[in-house]
């Protein structure tokens, strides 16, 4: 899978963790492949609270470049109550600032609360993962210093407002992701998503922004290295 991605031109990947077990597995993968880096995360709908001590231990590894995925999900029920999610996110944001690592943020139906949480943590930096909102929210997160990370969703013909965001996003804040095995591009519905399929999204994003793939690749590389500073 990593080989196929590299062959397709995806030369660096971050595998985000959703709980301790998967964060650990992602980290093992990152030690097996020079192209793969890891995020240590705790998904907002996890029933148990994050083990911050264990996360801190894992995150100190040289192959860990982010705290993620973390965030708020007020739509996917049954999840922990909103208050509990907000409290956990506060702890996880503090960990990210303490370790000087960027966060990858999952936000579903909680943009107001996510923005407030970011604001409460000066020095926090990161990416809005799987960005799916319209320009007014894009602008808000850009103002907070965040990057917008776009996935296969932008390739779906119905997503005109999101395509507008792709066009207007400042070049130094634009990131791409697959969210694989989820987040399929329009032409790959029904098959598990793969890192190599990032090219589906990249091709459309380059087209929307009126640049070629090589130019987009340079932007992506520069942005990813600027945000995920431990990535080499
Ligand atoms: Zn997510």
């Amino acid at each position: 899978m990593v080989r196929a991605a590299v062959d397709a031109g995806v030369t660096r990947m971050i595998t985000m963790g959703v709980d301790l077990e998967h964060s650990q597995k992602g980290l093992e993968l990152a030690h097996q492949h020079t192209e793969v880096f890891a995020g240590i995360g705790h998904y907002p709908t996890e029933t148990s609270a994050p083990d911050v001590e264990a996360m801190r231990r894992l995150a100190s590894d040289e192959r860990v470049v982010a705290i993620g995925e973390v965030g708020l999900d007020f739509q996917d029920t049954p999840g922990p109550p909103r208050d509990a999610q907000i409290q956990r996110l506060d702890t996880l944001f503090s960990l990210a600032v303490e370790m000087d690592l960027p966060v990858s943020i999952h936000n579903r139906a909680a943009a107001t609360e996510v923005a407030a949480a970011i604001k409460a943590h000066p020095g926090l930096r990161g990416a809005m993962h799987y960005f799916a909102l319209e320009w007014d929210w894009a602008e808000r997160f850009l103002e907070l210093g965040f990057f917008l990370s776009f996935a296969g969703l932008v390739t779906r013909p119905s997503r005109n407002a999101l395509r507008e965001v792709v066009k207007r996003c400042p070049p130094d804040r634009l990131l791409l992701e697959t969210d694989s095995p989820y987040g399929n591009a329009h032409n790959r519905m029904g098959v598990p998503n793969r890192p190599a399929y990032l090219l589906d999204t990249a091709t459309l994003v380059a087209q929307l922004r009126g640049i070629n793939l090589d130019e987009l690749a340079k932007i992506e590389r520069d942005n990813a290295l600027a945000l995920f500073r431990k990535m080499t």
Side-chain angles (χ1 to χ4, degrees), residues 43 69 106-108 129-130 179:
Y43 202 74
E69 158 169 2
H106 171 102
N107 159 41
R108 199 181 281 152
H129 128 80
Y130 205 85
D179 201 27

Side-chain angles (χ1 to χ4, degrees), residues 38-40 55-56 58-68 92-104 123-127 146 227-231:
I40 303 301
M55 289 178 73
R56 180 183 286 114
L58 287 181
S60 64
D61 190 286
E62 58 174 9
R63 302 294 295 173
V64 172
V65 299
I67 296 295
L92 295 165
F93 278 179
S94 295
L95 177 69
V97 173
E98 172 203 318
M99 302 203 72
D100 194 22
L101 284 169
V103 286
S104 175
L124 186 75
R125 57 201 168 84
F146 270 61
L227 179 61
F228 303 105
R229 293 178 194 157
K230 280 170 73 183
M231 194 156 78

Side-chain angles (χ1 to χ4, degrees), residues 117-134:
I118 293 172
K119 238 179 160 172
H121 291 269
L124 186 75
R125 57 201 168 84
M128 298 305 297
H129 128 80
Y130 205 85
F131 192 79
L133 301 173
E134 302 190 0

